[in-house]
Amino acid sequence: MDYNDQMKNRVKRIEGQLRGILKMMEENKDCKEVITQLSATRSAIDRTIGVIVSSNLVECVQKAEIQGEKSMEELVKEAVNLLVKSR
């Protein structure tokens, strides 16, 4: 799979968020603020997973059509399973 710059930038932003959270913890910030940032980071991770799975699904469907490897139904089931496992 080709991970494009958009996907990589998402992960870099998440990395920055996590570093910010660690700094907040080191500065003994209020737990509500830390939890809010952790929740935002989790949402960003979930969205990134969705982008990667959907991009992978499109790529796999195109490849499968050319090579006749798997049915569309099998590919969709695999994508759904990836999303379910990520939760």
Side-chain angles (χ1 to χ4, degrees):
M1 167 139 187
D2 181 35
Y3 298 101
N4 64 32
D5 288 341
Q6 178 194 20
M7 292 176 195
K8 292 174 190 173
N9 287 337
R10 283 176 176 266
V11 173
K12 288 176 184 176
R13 275 195 303 273
I14 293 167
E15 180 183 27
Q17 285 178 298
L18 289 171
R19 288 177 196 263
I21 292 167
L22 185 56
K23 184 178 178 185
M24 290 172 71
M25 291 173 147
E26 289 169 349
E27 294 173 352
N28 294 317
K29 296 287 183 178
D30 183 64
C31 71
K32 290 179 185 179
E33 294 177 39
V34 172
I35 297 300
T36 299
Q37 291 306 309
L38 284 168
S39 294
T41 303
R42 181 173 42 195
S43 294
I45 290 170
D46 289 342
R47 287 191 305 273
T48 303
I49 289 169
V51 167
I52 291 172
V53 169
S54 66
S55 295
N56 187 45
L57 180 61
V58 169
E59 186 178 304
C60 287
V61 168
Q62 291 170 344
K63 181 180 173 186
E65 286 178 345
I66 293 168
Q67 298 176 353
E69 293 176 352
K70 295 182 180 180
S71 71
M72 177 95 65
E73 184 177 332
E74 289 174 306
L75 293 168
V76 171
K77 282 182 183 178
E78 285 179 13
V80 170
N81 285 334
L82 282 173
L83 289 172
V84 169
K85 284 180 187 178
S86 72
R87 296 305 279 142

